[in-house]
Amino acid sequence: QVQLVESGGGLVQPGGSLRLSCAASGNIFNIYTMGWYRQAPGKQRELVAIITNEGNTNYADSVKGRFTISRDNSKNTVYLQLNSLKPEDTAVYYCNADVTFYSGSGYRREPCWGQGTQVTVSS
């Protein structure tokens, strides 16, 4: 019922920047906290940044000062600006949203995940 479609990943040199987008669509009633996670090869998925519906944010220590999360509620979209990228930022980045939606049999509130977008930082 709800889809999160990510875009903006790619190959970038160390020190470069990328901007990731994740747009939610479907029978959405409300979107609460949204966030970005990443998973590098051989590692567990980790939280990168979250943003509440009120705009409060939190970041992993490893990205503080370099990444910025934001959202546009009118577009049901969350963004992640990645600056000063390092090779260790290489991972598949996933967006997540806490969503209330209409399933056809009633309203549900569930976390929804995007398909992931690859970010590769290499010279």
Side-chain angles (χ1 to χ4, degrees):
Q1 295 293 322
V2 177
Q3 293 184 343
L4 302 181
V5 180
E6 304 175 10
S7 62
L11 175 64
V12 65
Q13 294 184 339
S17 299
L18 287 172
R19 191 185 192 221
L20 308 182
S21 300
C22 177
S25 62
N27 298 322
I28 299 171
F29 179 75
N30 201 6
I31 303 178
Y32 306 95
T33 300
M34 306 181 77
W36 288 93
Y37 296 72
R38 67 185 182 186
Q39 187 167 20
K43 296 184 178 180
Q44 293 186 337
R45 188 173 300 184
E46 64 176 353
L47 175 68
V48 176
I50 57 172
I51 183 168
T52 70
N53 194 45
E54 300 298 325
N56 302 120
T57 60
N58 196 19
Y59 298 89
D61 289 340
S62 60
V63 306
K64 286 182 179 178
R66 300 188 298 120
F67 293 5
T68 302
I69 189 171
S70 61
R71 63 192 290 171
D72 185 339
N73 291 330
S74 68
K75 298 180 179 180
N76 289 333
T77 300
V78 62
Y79 306 93
L80 186 68
Q81 179 68 42
L82 301 83
N83 296 330
S84 302
L85 283 163
K86 305 175 181 179
E88 50 263 44
D89 294 319
T90 296
V92 178
Y93 284 71
Y94 300 89
C95 67
N96 175 269
D98 181 10
V99 182
T100 297
F101 62 95
Y102 190 74
S103 67
S105 60
Y107 289 97
R108 293 184 177 182
R109 181 173 176 175
E110 296 180 356
C112 299
W113 290 91
Q115 80 286 353
T117 184
Q118 177 71 47
V119 172
T120 302
V121 184
S122 177
S123 60

